[in-house]
Amino acid sequence: MQFAFFQTLIAQHTIQQILSRIDIVEIVGSFVKLKKRGTNYLGLCPFHNEKSPSFTVSPSKEIYKCFGCGASGNTISFLMEHEKYSYVEALRWLAQKYNVEIEEKEVSAEVKQQQLLADSLYIINNFAREYFTKTLLETEEGQNVGLSYFEERGFTKETIQKFQLGYCSNERDAFARTALGKGYNLDYLQKTGLVTIRNEQPADNYRGRVIFPIHNQSGKVLGFGARILVKNDRAPKYINSPENEIYVKSKVLYGTYFARHAIDRLNECLLVEGYTDVISLHQAGIENVVASSGTSLTVDQLRLVKKYTNNLTILYDGDSAGVKAALRGLDMAVEEGLNVKLVLIPDKEDPDSYVQKIGAPAFRQFVETNKQDFVLFKLQTSMQDIGNDSNRKSQLVNEIAETISKIDKVEDFTRQQDYIRQCSQLLKIDEQGMITLVNKFIRERLQKREQQLAKNAPPEDDQLSDEAIAAMEAAEGNFEVIFPTDEKQERELVKILLRFGDMPFSEEEKSSVADYVFHLPYDFESLADSEIVKKILREYKSRYDEGSTPDKKWFLYHEDTDISKQTALILEDKEADLSINWKERFEIDTVCGDNAYLRDTISTTNYLILRKIKKLILENQQEMEKADTFDMQMKCVEVHQHLKQLEMELTQGIGTVIFR
């Protein structure tokens, strides 16, 4: 059970209190220089490089929008994107800023204990980080041994402070005695890996080693890497913290906290193997770099990269071990939709030594000119190994086809076809045959997924589908292109509920707009085709049934980023997106006075009901064509007449629709 799970236990009234105090101009303005322009504020977009400001913040709508790169959202999504916080981390940041005391939901004793344990491990790690830094900089041994090592590696004082590097003295239990003397729990000290038990006595696990703190995305210390400085065949070169409630090695990339803004800005992540590679490149001004800490890449690490960019360039040593290490993560990276390039550092060099040898400008140029496409590199390297062995060539063809089959996102179709063409030429095989083989692997994977879903088990390679959201955001400047007219009316219904749900609909019946929408004689969910509209309507109806009418803030700052992003898009759409003719045509003749929201409510619901009637007419006609008995034909005729009567009444505005 991971700590991230426990963080979702903030009480709802605390969340509402935080949301009520949010000032989007104040929050965004603390990261972006904004100037007032009319009712809005304008600044340079922090999500892409631009010289002319196109980043707009609307205090009335509580959203931001960049007309250059398309980035948009609310205060919380801004913090999540800019600072790479989780939803709950953003809430906690805001709570601290506005002095809101966070109250947790009532949870079981077991969950409370787990949460306290996670908090305790963070506190201990922070204490240890400060202790090791002080030992490095303020003790004779630390300066003579640890600091000398870092200086020999070429690290400046500023770099050492930035990465919070440290040193653990060679004394048997100096840290353990200090920590226990401060009242820290021995079991927790062991769980972090800082202290071990030898001869039934606490002892320092990292003694005589330089220390590399490992941070999470918000800068908290998750664990440590400790490097030995004297040659010892019996001891490992590096010791890393054991996995625990806050540190899971497969989910962490070293240096992410320091690299996140540069990766965002440059839209590329450089991946290296070790701590010192990251530190040296950062010191040289190449800051969009993280490390896998010498382990094979995992899906979680690749998804962490994808939070920042789709472009991953792997820098590995040019020896055979480095090449094999690079190839191990290929299929996973491709499947995650990453554009992967590989740069092999010259033999007997690593990124650390090479950047210090040739300098930052030359290193950047080397990377740019030596990038190799990962798929083609794998193919060419493998072809050199197999020679003329026909059996191994057949195996290679299958491997490459399976790799290409994992490039199955709609927007990557052209890239997939390019790979098929190029690989077919290199392998000297028929291109159509390669297409057939790739499609075979795609079908097999889809069949496997269907079988797993049938058993109510999630597929191994299942993941949240952010691709559709990304496509929407990329094109959202053209609302008509993304949302056909029908879907616009579905989204108009959502907008009406969010803006006017608690407004009066009928003074005589003491009813609200939400009452009208949810008490019409039809299943409200059946009127929508859009899944996101259905999702928002379900959420709204759920809270409505509980006796409350949620306002737009509830959805604009929703924990589900899908809901919050789409709410921002719906609310930012211009008020006049529905034509006057459309409203007049589908508005039942009623007295609305000057209350435009009532006319909008009636016209929108009538349009959606009419659309449903038209769909049912079409379905009934199809049933009529299939009817093979007189009774079935007559039944279809009666249904058709009834539906047409409803359609006529609605379009003429002379009656009330009674239809389910």
PDB file of all heavy atoms in Angstrom, residues 305-320:
ATOM      1  N   VAL A 305       8.172   9.898 -17.282  1.00  0.00           N
ATOM      2  CA  VAL A 305       8.736  10.740 -18.343  1.00  0.00           C
ATOM      3  C   VAL A 305       7.616  11.365 -19.167  1.00  0.00           C
ATOM      4  O   VAL A 305       7.639  12.557 -19.488  1.00  0.00           O
ATOM      5  CB  VAL A 305       9.668   9.920 -19.261  1.00  0.00           C
ATOM      6  CG1 VAL A 305      10.059  10.727 -20.496  1.00  0.00           C
ATOM      7  CG2 VAL A 305      10.912   9.471 -18.515  1.00  0.00           C
ATOM      8  N   LYS A 306       6.595  10.571 -19.465  1.00  0.00           N
ATOM      9  CA  LYS A 306       5.521  11.035 -20.344  1.00  0.00           C
ATOM     10  C   LYS A 306       4.685  12.139 -19.711  1.00  0.00           C
ATOM     11  O   LYS A 306       3.973  12.866 -20.407  1.00  0.00           O
ATOM     12  CB  LYS A 306       4.630   9.862 -20.744  1.00  0.00           C
ATOM     13  CG  LYS A 306       3.793  10.155 -21.980  1.00  0.00           C
ATOM     14  CD  LYS A 306       3.076   8.929 -22.481  1.00  0.00           C
ATOM     15  CE  LYS A 306       2.262   9.267 -23.728  1.00  0.00           C
ATOM     16  NZ  LYS A 306       1.478   8.122 -24.214  1.00  0.00           N
ATOM     17  N   LYS A 307       4.750  12.284 -18.389  1.00  0.00           N
ATOM     18  CA  LYS A 307       4.063  13.399 -17.739  1.00  0.00           C
ATOM     19  C   LYS A 307       4.631  14.737 -18.195  1.00  0.00           C
ATOM     20  O   LYS A 307       3.960  15.750 -18.171  1.00  0.00           O
ATOM     21  CB  LYS A 307       4.199  13.280 -16.210  1.00  0.00           C
ATOM     22  CG  LYS A 307       3.345  12.210 -15.588  1.00  0.00           C
ATOM     23  CD  LYS A 307       3.532  12.177 -14.097  1.00  0.00           C
ATOM     24  CE  LYS A 307       3.003  13.430 -13.434  1.00  0.00           C
ATOM     25  NZ  LYS A 307       3.062  13.362 -11.959  1.00  0.00           N
ATOM     26  N   TYR A 308       5.903  14.708 -18.616  1.00  0.00           N
ATOM     27  CA  TYR A 308       6.598  15.941 -18.987  1.00  0.00           C
ATOM     28  C   TYR A 308       6.740  16.101 -20.495  1.00  0.00           C
ATOM     29  O   TYR A 308       6.697  17.206 -21.020  1.00  0.00           O
ATOM     30  CB  TYR A 308       7.991  15.972 -18.356  1.00  0.00           C
ATOM     31  CG  TYR A 308       7.997  15.792 -16.856  1.00  0.00           C
ATOM     32  CD1 TYR A 308       8.158  14.541 -16.280  1.00  0.00           C
ATOM     33  CD2 TYR A 308       7.850  16.885 -16.013  1.00  0.00           C
ATOM     34  CE1 TYR A 308       8.160  14.375 -14.901  1.00  0.00           C
ATOM     35  CE2 TYR A 308       7.857  16.732 -14.630  1.00  0.00           C
ATOM     36  CZ  TYR A 308       8.011  15.470 -14.085  1.00  0.00           C
ATOM     37  OH  TYR A 308       7.999  15.308 -12.733  1.00  0.00           O
ATOM     38  N   THR A 309       6.964  14.998 -21.203  1.00  0.00           N
ATOM     39  CA  THR A 309       7.235  15.078 -22.643  1.00  0.00           C
ATOM     40  C   THR A 309       7.029  13.719 -23.290  1.00  0.00           C
ATOM     41  O   THR A 309       7.081  12.676 -22.627  1.00  0.00           O
ATOM     42  CB  THR A 309       8.688  15.533 -22.896  1.00  0.00           C
ATOM     43  OG1 THR A 309       8.928  15.593 -24.311  1.00  0.00           O
ATOM     44  CG2 THR A 309       9.691  14.579 -22.289  1.00  0.00           C
ATOM     45  N   ASN A 310       6.814  13.722 -24.603  1.00  0.00           N
ATOM     46  CA  ASN A 310       6.737  12.469 -25.369  1.00  0.00           C
ATOM     47  C   ASN A 310       8.074  12.120 -26.008  1.00  0.00           C
ATOM     48  O   ASN A 310       8.192  11.081 -26.663  1.00  0.00           O
ATOM     49  CB  ASN A 310       5.672  12.574 -26.463  1.00  0.00           C
ATOM     50  CG  ASN A 310       4.267  12.471 -25.907  1.00  0.00           C
ATOM     51  OD1 ASN A 310       4.022  11.795 -24.913  1.00  0.00           O
ATOM     52  ND2 ASN A 310       3.336  13.152 -26.536  1.00  0.00           N
ATOM     53  N   ASN A 311       9.076  12.982 -25.846  1.00  0.00           N
ATOM     54  CA  ASN A 311      10.363  12.788 -26.516  1.00  0.00           C
ATOM     55  C   ASN A 311      11.425  12.344 -25.517  1.00  0.00           C
ATOM     56  O   ASN A 311      11.814  13.120 -24.641  1.00  0.00           O
ATOM     57  CB  ASN A 311      10.788  14.078 -27.208  1.00  0.00           C
ATOM     58  CG  ASN A 311       9.779  14.524 -28.255  1.00  0.00           C
ATOM     59  OD1 ASN A 311       9.377  13.750 -29.104  1.00  0.00           O
ATOM     60  ND2 ASN A 311       9.340  15.770 -28.178  1.00  0.00           N
ATOM     61  N   LEU A 312      11.875  11.119 -25.656  1.00  0.00           N
ATOM     62  CA  LEU A 312      12.870  10.542 -24.759  1.00  0.00           C
ATOM     63  C   LEU A 312      14.130  10.201 -25.542  1.00  0.00           C
ATOM     64  O   LEU A 312      14.087   9.465 -26.529  1.00  0.00           O
ATOM     65  CB  LEU A 312      12.319   9.272 -24.099  1.00  0.00           C
ATOM     66  CG  LEU A 312      13.275   8.476 -23.215  1.00  0.00           C
ATOM     67  CD1 LEU A 312      13.694   9.302 -21.993  1.00  0.00           C
ATOM     68  CD2 LEU A 312      12.639   7.164 -22.777  1.00  0.00           C
ATOM     69  N   THR A 313      15.263  10.749 -25.100  1.00  0.00           N
ATOM     70  CA  THR A 313      16.558  10.445 -25.715  1.00  0.00           C
ATOM     71  C   THR A 313      17.426   9.764 -24.669  1.00  0.00           C
ATOM     72  O   THR A 313      17.709  10.337 -23.614  1.00  0.00           O
ATOM     73  CB  THR A 313      17.257  11.719 -26.216  1.00  0.00           C
ATOM     74  OG1 THR A 313      16.424  12.350 -27.200  1.00  0.00           O
ATOM     75  CG2 THR A 313      18.609  11.394 -26.831  1.00  0.00           C
ATOM     76  N   ILE A 314      17.831   8.544 -24.957  1.00  0.00           N
ATOM     77  CA  ILE A 314      18.588   7.747 -23.994  1.00  0.00           C
ATOM     78  C   ILE A 314      20.079   7.856 -24.297  1.00  0.00           C
ATOM     79  O   ILE A 314      20.519   7.583 -25.420  1.00  0.00           O
ATOM     80  CB  ILE A 314      18.141   6.269 -24.039  1.00  0.00           C
ATOM     81  CG1 ILE A 314      16.641   6.169 -23.759  1.00  0.00           C
ATOM     82  CG2 ILE A 314      18.913   5.438 -23.049  1.00  0.00           C
ATOM     83  CD1 ILE A 314      16.085   4.761 -23.826  1.00  0.00           C
ATOM     84  N   LEU A 315      20.851   8.286 -23.306  1.00  0.00           N
ATOM     85  CA  LEU A 315      22.300   8.401 -23.439  1.00  0.00           C
ATOM     86  C   LEU A 315      22.940   7.262 -22.658  1.00  0.00           C
ATOM     87  O   LEU A 315      22.855   7.228 -21.430  1.00  0.00           O
ATOM     88  CB  LEU A 315      22.797   9.739 -22.879  1.00  0.00           C
ATOM     89  CG  LEU A 315      22.068  11.012 -23.329  1.00  0.00           C
ATOM     90  CD1 LEU A 315      22.720  12.237 -22.688  1.00  0.00           C
ATOM     91  CD2 LEU A 315      22.091  11.142 -24.834  1.00  0.00           C
ATOM     92  N   TYR A 316      23.553   6.331 -23.362  1.00  0.00           N
ATOM     93  CA  TYR A 316      24.167   5.192 -22.700  1.00  0.00           C
ATOM     94  C   TYR A 316      25.604   5.011 -23.170  1.00  0.00           C
ATOM     95  O   TYR A 316      25.977   5.450 -24.259  1.00  0.00           O
ATOM     96  CB  TYR A 316      23.369   3.907 -22.956  1.00  0.00           C
ATOM     97  CG  TYR A 316      22.232   3.696 -21.991  1.00  0.00           C
ATOM     98  CD1 TYR A 316      21.066   3.043 -22.391  1.00  0.00           C
ATOM     99  CD2 TYR A 316      22.305   4.149 -20.671  1.00  0.00           C
ATOM    100  CE1 TYR A 316      20.019   2.843 -21.519  1.00  0.00           C
ATOM    101  CE2 TYR A 316      21.263   3.955 -19.793  1.00  0.00           C
ATOM    102  CZ  TYR A 316      20.124   3.300 -20.215  1.00  0.00           C
ATOM    103  OH  TYR A 316      19.081   3.101 -19.345  1.00  0.00           O
ATOM    104  N   ASP A 317      26.373   4.322 -22.324  1.00  0.00           N
ATOM    105  CA  ASP A 317      27.749   4.006 -22.681  1.00  0.00           C
ATOM    106  C   ASP A 317      27.766   3.189 -23.966  1.00  0.00           C
ATOM    107  O   ASP A 317      26.876   2.371 -24.211  1.00  0.00           O
ATOM    108  CB  ASP A 317      28.431   3.212 -21.558  1.00  0.00           C
ATOM    109  CG  ASP A 317      28.424   3.983 -20.242  1.00  0.00           C
ATOM    110  OD1 ASP A 317      28.039   5.164 -20.272  1.00  0.00           O
ATOM    111  OD2 ASP A 317      28.790   3.410 -19.217  1.00  0.00           O
ATOM    112  N   GLY A 318      28.796   3.380 -24.775  1.00  0.00           N
ATOM    113  CA  GLY A 318      28.861   2.722 -26.076  1.00  0.00           C
ATOM    114  C   GLY A 318      29.323   1.287 -26.050  1.00  0.00           C
ATOM    115  O   GLY A 318      29.467   0.670 -27.102  1.00  0.00           O
ATOM    116  N   ASP A 319      29.570   0.708 -24.850  1.00  0.00           N
ATOM    117  CA  ASP A 319      29.995  -0.693 -24.809  1.00  0.00           C
ATOM    118  C   ASP A 319      28.790  -1.601 -25.006  1.00  0.00           C
ATOM    119  O   ASP A 319      27.641  -1.175 -25.032  1.00  0.00           O
ATOM    120  CB  ASP A 319      30.706  -1.003 -23.487  1.00  0.00           C
ATOM    121  CG  ASP A 319      29.839  -0.707 -22.279  1.00  0.00           C
ATOM    122  OD1 ASP A 319      28.615  -0.592 -22.441  1.00  0.00           O
ATOM    123  OD2 ASP A 319      30.393  -0.585 -21.173  1.00  0.00           O
ATOM    124  N   SER A 320      29.057  -2.906 -25.137  1.00  0.00           N
ATOM    125  CA  SER A 320      27.975  -3.856 -25.427  1.00  0.00           C
ATOM    126  C   SER A 320      26.950  -3.903 -24.314  1.00  0.00           C
ATOM    127  O   SER A 320      25.752  -4.062 -24.554  1.00  0.00           O
ATOM    128  CB  SER A 320      28.554  -5.256 -25.651  1.00  0.00           C
ATOM    129  OG  SER A 320      29.288  -5.681 -24.508  1.00  0.00           O
TER     130      SER A 320
END
